[in-house]
Amino acid sequence: MELTLKNSHISCQVSNIGAELRSLRRLDHDDEYIWQRDPAIWVGSAPILFPFVGRMKNAGFMHEGEYYLFPIHGFAASAKFQLEANTAESVIFCLRSDQTTKQIYPFDFALTVTFSLFMSTLNVHYTVENLSLGTMYFAIGSHPAFRLPLEGASLDDYFIEFSKPEVSECYKLEGDLLAVNPIAHPLRFDRRLDLSATIFDEDALIFKHIRSRALRLAHRSGATRLTMHMGSAPHLGIWAKPAAPYVCIEPWHGYDDDAESSEELSKKQSVISLRAGDVFKTDYTVSI
C-alpha cells in the first residue's frame, strides 16, 4: 500500500512496507527527488534502520546470556507497518513487536513513524516506546536516497555542505565492520564534501558526533538541490553505489560495530538505553 500526501507546494508517496518514503516532488516542476529503486543498482529508496544501524560484530549480539543473530540495519525496512492515521498532508504508521521480532530482538516496543508536509518541507518523525518490563537497547537511523539530475552533468558536479565546520572523525568500513581508526578528513574547508564517481568505492563515509544540524546538497554552480535538517541525530552516514546517480544522506542514532566492540548488547558503543515505559523521539526534515 502506498499513500500520497500533497499540499500546494510538494507531494510525497509513502509505503506501509518499511514505512518507506518512495517519492518526493515539487509541484511547480516535474522533478523527482527520491531515488526510484532501480533493481539493477539499488532497490531501496529511504529504508528505516531499526532496531540497529549497520553491521554487528559476528553478525549478532549477546543479551541476558543468549546470543541473537541479527541482520544488517535491522528488520524495520522489510516489515509491514500498520496505518494509524492519514490526512491529505500527513500519515502515521506503527510497527509493534510480535513473536517473530522477539525471536531475534527480545524486547517489546512500538515504533511510530509520522510523515507530514509543511510548505516545501517534509518532516519525518520517529517515536520509539519501550513496552518491555526492563531496559531496552536499540539504535535508529534514516537512509533516504536523493536522486541527482545528471543530464549533461556528473557526480563530480555536486557537493554536500555542512552547516558548521566539522572536526568530527570520519570512518570507513573494513570488510564487514567499521574501521577502528579514522581516515584522513575528507571535507574541504572542514565543511564541504565533494562528490565523485569513485568516492564510495570503499562503501560509506561515516561521521561520528558531528556538530552540523543542517546539510545542503548543491550543484557546483551554487544552486541548492535540497537541505536536510538532522534533528538530534549525532552521527551521519553518506553513501551511494559507486557512480550511481543518487546520494544517501543518513542521520543516525548509532553506527556499525568495529573489531573492538563488545558482543554484549548493553555495552555496545552507540547503543541507546531506554527504561521500561519511556519514549525516545527524533526526526529529520527535507526542504526542496
Side-chain angles (χ1 to χ4, degrees):
M1 174 179 65
E2 289 193 5
L3 296 176
T4 299
L5 309 180
K6 182 184 292 187
N7 63 16
S8 59
H9 299 273
I10 60 175
S11 69
C12 77
Q13 291 181 343
V14 184
S15 173
N16 70 317
I17 303 301
E20 187 172 22
L21 177 65
R22 295 287 176 85
S23 174
L24 180 62
R25 307 181 75 97
R26 279 179 49 176
L27 299 183
D28 60 353
H29 60 84
D30 187 26
D31 191 0
E32 176 62 66
Y33 282 74
I34 297 298
W35 171 246
Q36 292 300 287
R37 307 170 70 240
D38 183 348
I41 301 176
W42 185 54
V43 296
S45 58
I48 296 170
L49 316 182
F50 177 86
F52 298 111
V53 174
R55 300 159 176 82
M56 286 193 161
K57 182 179 178 180
N58 295 327
F61 62 88
M62 182 73 71
H63 180 66
E64 295 186 346
E66 292 193 38
Y67 196 82
Y68 297 86
L69 291 173
F70 206 83
I72 180 175
H73 291 322
F75 49 69
S78 59
K80 184 177 181 179
F81 282 64
Q82 296 299 311
L83 176 64
E84 300 285 297
N86 183 210
T87 70
E89 298 183 20
S90 68
V91 63
I92 302 174
F93 289 111
C94 187
L95 176 66
R96 295 175 176 86
S97 54
D98 57 25
Q99 291 306 308
T100 299
T101 65
K102 292 185 74 171
Q103 289 178 8
I104 61 172
Y105 181 67
F107 301 98
D108 290 309
F109 68 87
L111 167 62
T112 302
V113 185
T114 303
F115 297 85
S116 58
L117 307 182
F118 177 73
M119 299 186 70
S120 60
T121 295
L122 167 68
N123 175 263
V124 183
H125 186 275
Y126 303 128
T127 299
V128 181
E129 184 177 1
N130 180 9
L131 304 177
S132 302
L133 297 178
T135 300
M136 170 180 164
Y137 301 96
F138 73 100
I140 189 167
S142 306
H143 200 318
F146 299 109
R147 174 182 169 271
L148 299 177
L150 290 176
E151 294 182 10
S154 70
L155 282 173
D156 303 79
D157 292 321
Y158 290 88
F159 64 90
I160 296 172
E161 183 181 68
F162 291 63
S163 61
K164 292 184 177 181
E166 291 295 343
V167 294
S168 62
E169 294 181 329
C170 182
Y171 294 79
K172 288 187 176 182
L173 296 169
E174 288 184 347
D176 290 332
L177 295 174
L178 198 63
V180 172
N181 298 311
I183 64 171
H185 212 294
L187 301 184
R188 292 178 56 196
F189 316 115
D190 294 328
R191 290 187 60 179
R192 174 167 163 164
L193 179 68
D194 291 318
L195 301 180
S196 71
T198 60
I199 191 171
F200 302 116
D201 281 355
E202 299 176 29
D203 217 297
L205 299 176
I206 297 168
F207 296 83
K208 297 181 182 180
H209 305 291
I210 70 170
R211 301 171 61 212
S212 298
R213 294 296 89 201
L215 301 164
R216 185 172 72 101
L217 176 60
H219 190 267
R220 65 179 178 179
S221 66
T224 298
R225 175 77 174 151
L226 59 89
T227 300
M228 169 181 278
H229 290 270
M230 291 186 48
S232 60
H235 316 299
L236 173 70
I238 302 178
W239 174 82
K241 289 285 189 179
Y246 67 87
V247 62
C248 295
I249 304 175
E250 309 177 38
W252 288 353
H253 292 265
Y255 47 80
D256 304 74
D257 282 354
D258 62 32
E260 297 179 355
S261 296
S262 172
E263 291 188 351
E264 181 64 41
L265 180 57
S266 64
K267 297 180 180 179
K268 290 188 179 294
Q269 294 179 356
S270 65
V271 74
I272 299 168
S273 60
L274 194 64
R275 293 180 300 180
D278 281 359
V279 173
F280 171 89
K281 296 182 178 181
T282 190
D283 70 347
Y284 73 90
T285 65
V286 180
S287 299
I288 60 175

